[in-house]
Amino acid sequence: MTTPTNQKITATAHTNIALVKYWGKADQSLIIPQTDSLSLTLKAFYTTTSVVFDPRLSSDTITFDGVLASHDDQEKMSRFLDLVRAQADVSLRAAVTTVNHVPVAAGLASSASGYAALAAAASRAAGLNLSRHDLSRLARRGSGSASRSVFGGFAAWHRGTDDATSYAYPIDEQPDWDLGVMAVVLDQTTKKISSRTGMQRSVATSPFYPVWIEANEQDFDAIQVAIKAHDIESLGQITEHNALRMHALTLSAEPGFTYFNGATLAAIELVQQTRQELGGRYYFTIDAGPNVKIIGLRTDLETQLLPRMQAHFGAANVLLTAAGPGVTIQADNPTGKDLNS
């Protein structure tokens, strides 16, 4: 049995973009994926979450951006907090305050940063001192991609076969090459088909799903070679092909569906056209939402693609960022004690 800290613990975690995708679960309850995956954590998009376990509370209280969470969100996050309580052997209810700096449910992986931050803050507030390995396993139980947001830079998620063997780990937390990421925010509304539903339908009905697993394994191995070699062309080509194959699963499901819209296709075409005309090294990817992310050499993104994207989609909707850090934890006390290990 651990002893809760009786302090408000605050954690910040950054979202990530999957370069080799996770799409489909082998175990729905434990969130064990069908494949390994690899991502890049982003500097500009993040979630800050504070947690305190309070004996005066009769139930968990959870607020998002100053607003009380919906009934469904409250239940989901309370179930996640139950995992923390069980691991720490405590029964106290928690007050949770979350501030999101990510467009929610629009394909920018707000759940990744959200559950990574919640896992870090709640576990430490409950008196646990988890390794990053075990923190990634805990975060995975809230959102699979959250396991990777525990780490900065390039991170991978090993699919494993059970709770103990499915975890994330760092590949290169501080990439020392001229990498940039452009996010083109095309729609901030909540998507009509959740990632969970989309994955289940794709796994159950797409005739191409077995081929997807085989191709994903090849991509996972190849992209690590590209990262080690700082080979942006190979990394980018693998990223694009992997994204398109993932979305082919949604189109080939029964009934078929897509996360694209007209603006998504226009952004993809603009990336391809500019790259062909100017010889730039930048490559698109799309997750479960309409927004487009582009990874490439920062100098090429700034000088070639940024002006065209801003002119077409508006400067406010195009953001250039870089690789971001892993999760950080801090106690809310007068000394501002840093709790990162």
Side-chain angles (χ1 to χ4, degrees), residues 167 193 307:
Y167 56 85
I193 299 176

Side-chain angles (χ1 to χ4, degrees), residues 17 54 144 180 286 301 335:
I17 55 167
D54 190 337
I286 313 100
L301 287 168
T335 64

Side-chain angles (χ1 to χ4, degrees), residues 131-155:
S131 67
R132 294 199 300 169
H133 171 95
D134 288 336
L135 184 59
S136 77
R137 291 177 47 238
L138 175 61
R140 188 200 78 234
R141 298 292 299 276
S143 170
S145 55
S147 64
R148 300 187 306 252
S149 279
V150 169
F151 303 96
F154 292 105

